[in-house]
Each structure stands twice: as structure tokens, then as C-alpha cells.
Short mmCIF file of all heavy atoms in Angstrom, two decimals:
data_model
loop_
_atom_site.label_atom_id
_atom_site.label_comp_id
_atom_site.label_asym_id
_atom_site.label_seq_id
_atom_site.Cartn_x
_atom_site.Cartn_y
_atom_site.Cartn_z
N ALA H 1 -92.46 45.58 -38.68
CA ALA H 1 -91.01 45.73 -38.50
C ALA H 1 -90.34 44.42 -38.08
O ALA H 1 -89.41 43.94 -38.74
CB ALA H 1 -90.71 46.82 -37.48
N GLY H 2 -90.77 43.83 -36.96
CA GLY H 2 -90.11 42.64 -36.47
C GLY H 2 -90.15 41.50 -37.47
O GLY H 2 -89.13 40.85 -37.75
N ALA H 3 -91.33 41.26 -38.05
CA ALA H 3 -91.47 40.19 -39.03
C ALA H 3 -90.57 40.42 -40.23
O ALA H 3 -89.94 39.50 -40.76
CB ALA H 3 -92.93 40.07 -39.46
N GLY H 4 -90.48 41.68 -40.69
CA GLY H 4 -89.68 41.99 -41.85
C GLY H 4 -88.19 41.81 -41.61
O GLY H 4 -87.49 41.19 -42.43
N PHE H 5 -87.70 42.34 -40.51
CA PHE H 5 -86.29 42.17 -40.20
C PHE H 5 -85.93 40.70 -40.06
O PHE H 5 -84.86 40.26 -40.47
CB PHE H 5 -85.94 42.93 -38.91
CG PHE H 5 -85.67 44.40 -39.12
CD1 PHE H 5 -86.60 45.35 -38.74
CD2 PHE H 5 -84.49 44.83 -39.69
CE1 PHE H 5 -86.36 46.70 -38.93
CE2 PHE H 5 -84.23 46.18 -39.89
CZ PHE H 5 -85.17 47.12 -39.50
N GLN H 6 -86.83 39.92 -39.45
CA GLN H 6 -86.55 38.50 -39.27
C GLN H 6 -86.60 37.75 -40.60
O GLN H 6 -85.72 36.93 -40.89
CB GLN H 6 -87.55 37.88 -38.28
CG GLN H 6 -87.27 36.41 -38.01
CD GLN H 6 -88.05 35.87 -36.83
OE1 GLN H 6 -88.50 36.61 -35.98
NE2 GLN H 6 -88.20 34.55 -36.78
N LEU H 7 -87.62 38.01 -41.41
CA LEU H 7 -87.70 37.38 -42.73
C LEU H 7 -86.42 37.61 -43.53
O LEU H 7 -85.86 36.68 -44.11
CB LEU H 7 -88.88 37.97 -43.52
CG LEU H 7 -90.27 37.40 -43.33
CD1 LEU H 7 -91.29 38.30 -44.03
CD2 LEU H 7 -90.37 35.99 -43.88
N GLY H 8 -85.98 38.86 -43.55
CA GLY H 8 -84.80 39.20 -44.34
C GLY H 8 -83.54 38.58 -43.80
O GLY H 8 -82.68 38.11 -44.56
N SER H 9 -83.39 38.57 -42.48
CA SER H 9 -82.19 38.00 -41.87
C SER H 9 -82.09 36.51 -42.15
O SER H 9 -81.03 35.97 -42.45
CB SER H 9 -82.21 38.25 -40.35
OG SER H 9 -81.06 37.70 -39.73
N GLU H 10 -83.23 35.83 -42.06
CA GLU H 10 -83.23 34.38 -42.31
C GLU H 10 -82.97 34.08 -43.79
O GLU H 10 -82.24 33.15 -44.11
CB GLU H 10 -84.56 33.79 -41.85
CG GLU H 10 -84.71 33.81 -40.33
CD GLU H 10 -86.11 33.51 -39.83
OE1 GLU H 10 -87.04 33.48 -40.67
OE2 GLU H 10 -86.27 33.32 -38.62
N LYS H 11 -83.56 34.87 -44.69
CA LYS H 11 -83.29 34.68 -46.12
C LYS H 11 -81.83 34.98 -46.43
O LYS H 11 -81.19 34.28 -47.22
CB LYS H 11 -84.20 35.57 -46.97
CG LYS H 11 -84.04 35.34 -48.48
CD LYS H 11 -85.05 36.13 -49.27
CE LYS H 11 -84.93 35.86 -50.77
NZ LYS H 11 -85.25 34.46 -51.12
N PHE H 12 -81.29 36.01 -45.79
CA PHE H 12 -79.89 36.38 -45.98
C PHE H 12 -78.96 35.29 -45.46
O PHE H 12 -77.89 35.05 -46.01
CB PHE H 12 -79.62 37.71 -45.27
CG PHE H 12 -78.22 38.22 -45.43
CD1 PHE H 12 -77.83 38.82 -46.62
CD2 PHE H 12 -77.30 38.10 -44.40
CE1 PHE H 12 -76.53 39.29 -46.77
CE2 PHE H 12 -76.00 38.56 -44.55
CZ PHE H 12 -75.61 39.17 -45.74
N GLY H 13 -79.37 34.63 -44.37
CA GLY H 13 -78.58 33.52 -43.84
C GLY H 13 -77.82 33.84 -42.57
O GLY H 13 -76.91 33.09 -42.19
N ALA H 14 -78.18 34.92 -41.89
CA ALA H 14 -77.51 35.26 -40.63
C ALA H 14 -78.27 34.65 -39.45
O ALA H 14 -79.47 34.42 -39.52
CB ALA H 14 -77.45 36.78 -40.47
N LEU H 15 -77.55 34.39 -38.36
CA LEU H 15 -78.21 33.95 -37.13
C LEU H 15 -79.07 35.09 -36.62
O LEU H 15 -78.60 36.22 -36.50
CB LEU H 15 -77.16 33.55 -36.09
CG LEU H 15 -77.66 32.89 -34.79
CD1 LEU H 15 -76.59 31.99 -34.20
CD2 LEU H 15 -78.10 33.92 -33.76
N THR H 16 -80.32 34.79 -36.31
CA THR H 16 -81.28 35.83 -35.94
C THR H 16 -81.67 35.69 -34.48
O THR H 16 -82.01 34.59 -34.02
CB THR H 16 -82.54 35.72 -36.82
OG1 THR H 16 -82.14 35.71 -38.20
CG2 THR H 16 -83.48 36.88 -36.58
N VAL H 17 -81.64 36.82 -33.76
CA VAL H 17 -82.01 36.87 -32.34
C VAL H 17 -83.25 37.76 -32.23
O VAL H 17 -83.15 38.97 -32.10
CB VAL H 17 -80.86 37.42 -31.47
CG1 VAL H 17 -81.21 37.33 -29.99
CG2 VAL H 17 -79.56 36.68 -31.76
N PRO H 18 -84.46 37.18 -32.28
CA PRO H 18 -85.70 37.99 -32.35
C PRO H 18 -86.23 38.37 -30.98
O PRO H 18 -87.14 37.76 -30.45
CB PRO H 18 -86.66 37.04 -33.08
CG PRO H 18 -86.23 35.68 -32.65
CD PRO H 18 -84.74 35.74 -32.42
N VAL H 19 -85.70 39.45 -30.41
CA VAL H 19 -86.05 39.84 -29.04
C VAL H 19 -87.32 40.70 -29.00
O VAL H 19 -88.14 40.57 -28.09
CB VAL H 19 -84.89 40.61 -28.36
CG1 VAL H 19 -85.20 40.85 -26.89
CG2 VAL H 19 -83.59 39.84 -28.51
N GLY H 20 -87.49 41.58 -29.99
CA GLY H 20 -88.57 42.55 -29.90
C GLY H 20 -88.12 43.77 -29.12
O GLY H 20 -86.98 43.85 -28.65
N PRO H 21 -89.00 44.76 -28.93
CA PRO H 21 -88.61 46.00 -28.25
C PRO H 21 -88.62 45.83 -26.73
O PRO H 21 -89.17 44.86 -26.19
CB PRO H 21 -89.70 46.97 -28.69
CG PRO H 21 -90.91 46.11 -28.86
CD PRO H 21 -90.40 44.78 -29.39
N GLY H 22 -88.01 46.81 -26.04
CA GLY H 22 -88.06 46.81 -24.58
C GLY H 22 -87.16 45.79 -23.94
O GLY H 22 -86.26 45.22 -24.56
N ASN H 23 -87.40 45.53 -22.64
CA ASN H 23 -86.68 44.52 -21.85
C ASN H 23 -85.17 44.69 -21.99
O ASN H 23 -84.46 43.83 -22.52
CB ASN H 23 -87.11 43.12 -22.27
CG ASN H 23 -86.86 42.10 -21.17
OD1 ASN H 23 -85.96 42.28 -20.35
ND2 ASN H 23 -87.65 41.04 -21.14
N LEU H 24 -84.67 45.81 -21.49
CA LEU H 24 -83.25 46.13 -21.65
C LEU H 24 -82.33 45.09 -21.05
O LEU H 24 -81.27 44.79 -21.60
CB LEU H 24 -82.97 47.50 -21.02
CG LEU H 24 -83.42 48.71 -21.83
CD1 LEU H 24 -83.16 49.99 -21.06
CD2 LEU H 24 -82.71 48.75 -23.17
N GLU H 25 -82.74 44.52 -19.91
CA GLU H 25 -81.88 43.52 -19.27
C GLU H 25 -81.67 42.31 -20.20
O GLU H 25 -80.55 41.83 -20.37
CB GLU H 25 -82.51 43.06 -17.95
CG GLU H 25 -81.64 42.07 -17.18
CD GLU H 25 -82.25 41.68 -15.84
OE1 GLU H 25 -83.26 42.27 -15.44
OE2 GLU H 25 -81.70 40.76 -15.19
N MET H 26 -82.75 41.84 -20.82
CA MET H 26 -82.63 40.72 -21.76
C MET H 26 -81.84 41.14 -22.99
O MET H 26 -81.01 40.37 -23.51
CB MET H 26 -84.01 40.22 -22.17
CG MET H 26 -83.96 39.03 -23.13
SD MET H 26 -85.59 38.57 -23.79
CE MET H 26 -86.39 38.02 -22.28
N GLN H 27 -82.11 42.35 -23.48
CA GLN H 27 -81.39 42.83 -24.66
C GLN H 27 -79.88 42.80 -24.43
O GLN H 27 -79.11 42.30 -25.27
CB GLN H 27 -81.81 44.26 -25.00
CG GLN H 27 -83.27 44.45 -25.38
CD GLN H 27 -83.59 44.11 -26.81
OE1 GLN H 27 -82.73 43.66 -27.57
NE2 GLN H 27 -84.84 44.31 -27.20
N LEU H 28 -79.46 43.35 -23.30
CA LEU H 28 -78.03 43.44 -23.01
C LEU H 28 -77.42 42.07 -22.79
O LEU H 28 -76.30 41.79 -23.22
CB LEU H 28 -77.81 44.33 -21.79
CG LEU H 28 -78.21 45.81 -21.96
CD1 LEU H 28 -78.07 46.56 -20.65
CD2 LEU H 28 -77.36 46.48 -23.03
N GLN H 29 -78.15 41.18 -22.09
CA GLN H 29 -77.62 39.84 -21.83
C GLN H 29 -77.43 39.07 -23.14
O GLN H 29 -76.39 38.45 -23.36
CB GLN H 29 -78.56 39.07 -20.90
CG GLN H 29 -78.04 37.66 -20.58
CD GLN H 29 -78.99 36.89 -19.67
OE1 GLN H 29 -79.98 37.42 -19.20
NE2 GLN H 29 -78.66 35.63 -19.43
N LEU H 30 -78.46 39.10 -24.00
CA LEU H 30 -78.36 38.36 -25.25
C LEU H 30 -77.32 38.98 -26.18
O LEU H 30 -76.62 38.28 -26.91
CB LEU H 30 -79.72 38.31 -25.94
CG LEU H 30 -80.74 37.37 -25.29
CD1 LEU H 30 -82.13 37.56 -25.92
CD2 LEU H 30 -80.29 35.92 -25.43
#
């Protein structure tokens, strides 16, 4: 999942924030 979403986002050309699951505090801050 993570690798696929990142591959596609980078090919598409969007800025990618690869956080992964969990760590709600980091998720919300980023």
C-alpha cells in the first residue's frame, strides 16, 4: 500500500508526505 500510493503520487507529480500508519500526533501536525 504505502509504496504504491507513493509511486503513483510521485509519477502524478504531487507533493508526497509519506507518514505511514499510526502516530496520530504526527499525522495531525503534518
Side-chain angles (χ1 to χ4, degrees):
F5 277 105
Q6 183 168 339
L7 275 170
S9 179
E10 291 168 349
K11 184 174 182 65
F12 182 77
L15 188 153
T16 308
V17 186
V19 187
N23 203 332
L24 284 176
E25 184 177 352
M26 181 188 295
Q27 297 278 3
L28 296 174
Q29 181 181 355
L30 287 172

